[in-house]
Amino acid sequence: MFLSSVGVAAFSDGRMMEGQELQSVSKLEEQLQQARQRSKELRQQLRLELEAASELEKRLEKVRADKAVTRQLIAQELQEVKVAHAKLQEVKGRDGTPTERARQALSSSVLASDTGALTVQRCDVLQQRARALLHGGADLEAAGGNSCLSEAREAAEIVEQLEDLGHGDDALYRALLQFSLRGLERHLEPDDPEVLARVHSLGVSLENLGEKTLALQFYQRAYESRSQRLGSEHRDTLDSGYNLATCYRNVGKLSEAEVLFENVLTCSQRVLGSQCPLTIDTAEQLADLLERKDGWKDLVAAWKLRRSLLEWSRSAYGEDDPAALLAMAKLAGVLKRAADAGVASRLAAAEALKASVARHQKVLGAESPEAIQAAAELAEFMASSGAKAPPRLKWFQANSDL
């Protein structure tokens, strides 16, 4: 069967139109896909903007709350000023001018009252905010959500502010720090310094609550991670090492505690100096640990450390400071123990105890509890029977001066 020229042309036109329609459909499908992708991007952008708006709203609420608290504090301060003015009018002299003594008494009274009232009020405000954070965080986590980074940081800031105000509530601190740590770990790396700072603080709170075994785990994580991230001689690493060593001692792991105390002392003395409180405190803890042991070599090591401690304390605080007096008394005490054990000269121990008594009486007075205690230890030692030092420790006798 043959087609006419008209039929062929019509058939060709039909095929062409069909091809054009297919191309049109293909373009429409491509445009639809692009529209879907754009819609997805817009939804993602909208979600992020809503989250940012929510974050801004929370910050605004916090600013409003702080503004209200500030107004309350200002109102209270104005009231205190009015009360102070009224008292001032009551104590004026005959010529209408307040006496200097009245001024001083009034100033001290108002300052103490004002400071105490403001502290209590500020603590109440912070505790209310803490409860709101914890309650809101619990609801959010129950719904499958996560707390924002700013709230995690705010929880830690509340703990610091309460501590600065002298408010001791370790149960509240633990809850806030746990909340803060969970939030930080969702947004930051596990070894981020801010995360590790919270781990360390949580260990302190747990130890204060008596949960020493759990506190030990947090101290270990803080110390090991800080050592790797910050270095073994960084101040934060040394702080965690000191707390970990102390916790080791408190749970009975004395060998681990001794090794770590020695390491922290070496690093702290090299980096921070012998007059740094961390160096002195670490040396004190190590000396106390050595004195608990039975070996005569441990007593010798403790004696050497006590001599250094006396020198460092005098340099850091002054010869008449209570810390220096305590270091002197403890040096005399370790000599007394060594003499009682038969590894040190009793004459050297007696001279050290006498020097400690004389120093305490000169600085604090003969009737002070410290001077009386030092005198009692000297009397007890002098009344006891002595033993000669063995030849191996003759140097102990010759180098035991204070």
Side-chain angles (χ1 to χ4, degrees):
M1 179 178 182
F2 297 96
L3 296 176
S4 67
S5 60
V6 174
V8 172
F11 179 77
S12 177
D13 291 341
R15 292 292 299 271
M16 184 180 298
M17 291 178 63
E18 182 180 356
Q20 290 175 348
E21 289 177 356
L22 289 175
Q23 290 179 357
S24 178
V25 169
S26 177
K27 288 182 179 179
L28 287 174
E29 289 180 347
E30 184 179 351
Q31 291 175 357
L32 180 60
Q33 184 65 26
Q34 292 176 351
R36 286 175 178 171
Q37 180 63 29
R38 179 59 179 166
S39 176
K40 181 178 179 181
E41 293 175 354
L42 288 174
R43 286 197 299 269
Q44 177 69 12
Q45 183 178 356
L46 179 60
R47 185 181 68 80
L48 294 176
E49 290 178 352
L50 288 175
E51 290 180 354
S54 176
E55 176 74 12
L56 289 174
E57 181 63 28
K58 290 178 181 179
R59 292 183 182 179
L60 182 58
E61 289 178 2
K62 184 176 182 298
V63 170
R64 287 171 178 166
D66 290 342
K67 184 178 180 181
V69 172
T70 302
R71 286 177 176 175
Q72 293 177 3
L73 295 177
I74 292 175
Q76 184 169 354
E77 289 176 357
L78 290 174
Q79 183 61 32
E80 294 288 348
V81 170
K82 291 179 181 179
V83 173
H85 181 71
K87 290 183 178 181
L88 186 61
Q89 294 296 323
E90 295 175 1
V91 297
K92 281 186 175 180
R94 293 182 179 180
D95 59 351
T97 304
T99 62
E100 183 62 26
R101 184 175 181 181
R103 284 182 184 275
Q104 295 176 356
L106 180 61
S107 176
S108 299
S109 174
V110 171
L111 180 61
S113 174
D114 181 64
T115 302
L118 292 178
T119 298
V120 171
Q121 186 173 5
R122 184 59 179 162
C123 284
D124 289 341
V125 171
L126 289 170
Q127 289 180 81
Q128 291 175 9
R129 178 56 184 160
R131 286 190 288 269
L133 271 177
L134 295 174
H135 181 72
D139 290 344
L140 185 62
E141 291 175 357
N146 296 325
S147 59
C148 60
L149 185 59
S150 62
E151 289 181 338
R153 287 170 172 163
E154 184 185 0
E157 290 173 359
I158 290 176
V159 173
E160 293 177 359
Q161 293 178 44
L162 286 173
E163 287 179 335
D164 291 341
L165 292 171
H167 178 79
D169 187 347
D170 284 295
L172 176 62
Y173 294 169
R174 175 178 60 181
L176 286 170
L177 291 170
Q178 288 173 334
F179 172 83
S180 177
L181 180 59
R182 288 196 300 270
L184 291 177
E185 287 179 329
R186 293 188 183 102
H187 297 279
L188 304 175
E189 295 296 325
D191 64 343
D192 185 273
E194 190 174 358
V195 173
L196 298 180
R198 215 65 66 240
V199 172
H200 177 94
S201 298
L202 188 52
V204 174
S205 182
L206 289 168
E207 188 174 16
N208 290 339
L209 288 169
E211 300 181 29
K212 297 177 183 178
T213 302
L214 187 56
L216 190 65
Q217 298 175 14
F218 282 89
Y219 284 146
Q220 286 174 329
R221 176 185 169 185
Y223 178 65
E224 293 170 1
S225 298
R226 279 177 163 176
S227 296
Q228 295 175 1
R229 178 68 181 266
L230 305 175
S232 60
E233 295 187 344
H234 191 278
R235 177 57 191 263
D236 291 345
T237 304
L238 296 177
D239 285 338
S240 291
Y242 175 88
N243 281 35
L244 176 58
T246 303
C247 198
Y248 274 143
R249 182 200 61 196
N250 292 339
V251 298
K253 296 185 176 182
L254 302 185
S255 298
E256 293 89 338
E258 182 179 347
V259 171
L260 190 50
F261 273 135
E262 289 176 346
N263 181 54
V264 173
L265 177 59
T266 300
C267 294
S268 179
Q269 188 178 1
R270 180 170 56 249
V271 177
L272 304 175
S274 58
Q275 297 183 23
C276 176
L278 178 61
T279 302
I280 294 175
D281 290 345
T282 306
E284 172 63 36
Q285 296 294 338
L286 179 57
D288 181 69
L289 200 61
L290 291 170
E291 288 180 37
R292 295 185 186 187
K293 302 172 75 173
D294 296 330
W296 66 268
K297 291 184 178 180
D298 298 311
L299 276 178
V300 173
W303 171 78
K304 289 181 177 181
L305 201 49
R306 291 289 181 200
R307 278 177 60 91
S308 297
L309 268 169
L310 178 59
E311 179 184 346
W312 298 345
S313 298
R314 284 174 170 175
S315 299
Y317 311 120
E319 290 191 10
D320 295 340
D321 188 87
L325 294 177
L326 181 61
M328 187 177 193
K330 289 191 173 183
L331 175 56
V334 74
L335 269 171
K336 174 179 175 295
R337 285 194 58 193
D340 289 339
V343 295
S345 165
R346 295 189 63 81
L347 176 60
E351 291 300 321
L353 289 167
K354 289 177 182 178
S356 177
V357 171
R359 194 68 184 173
H360 278 79
Q361 290 179 344
K362 178 181 178 181
V363 176
L364 303 177
E367 301 302 321
S368 67
E370 295 84 358
I372 293 174
Q373 176 64 28
E377 290 180 0
L378 173 61
E380 178 186 359
F381 180 73
M382 297 299 289
S384 63
S385 59
K388 295 182 179 180
R392 65 185 177 188
L393 287 182
K394 288 294 183 181
W395 59 269
F396 206 129
Q397 304 175 36
N399 294 280
S400 58
D401 58 289
L402 294 179

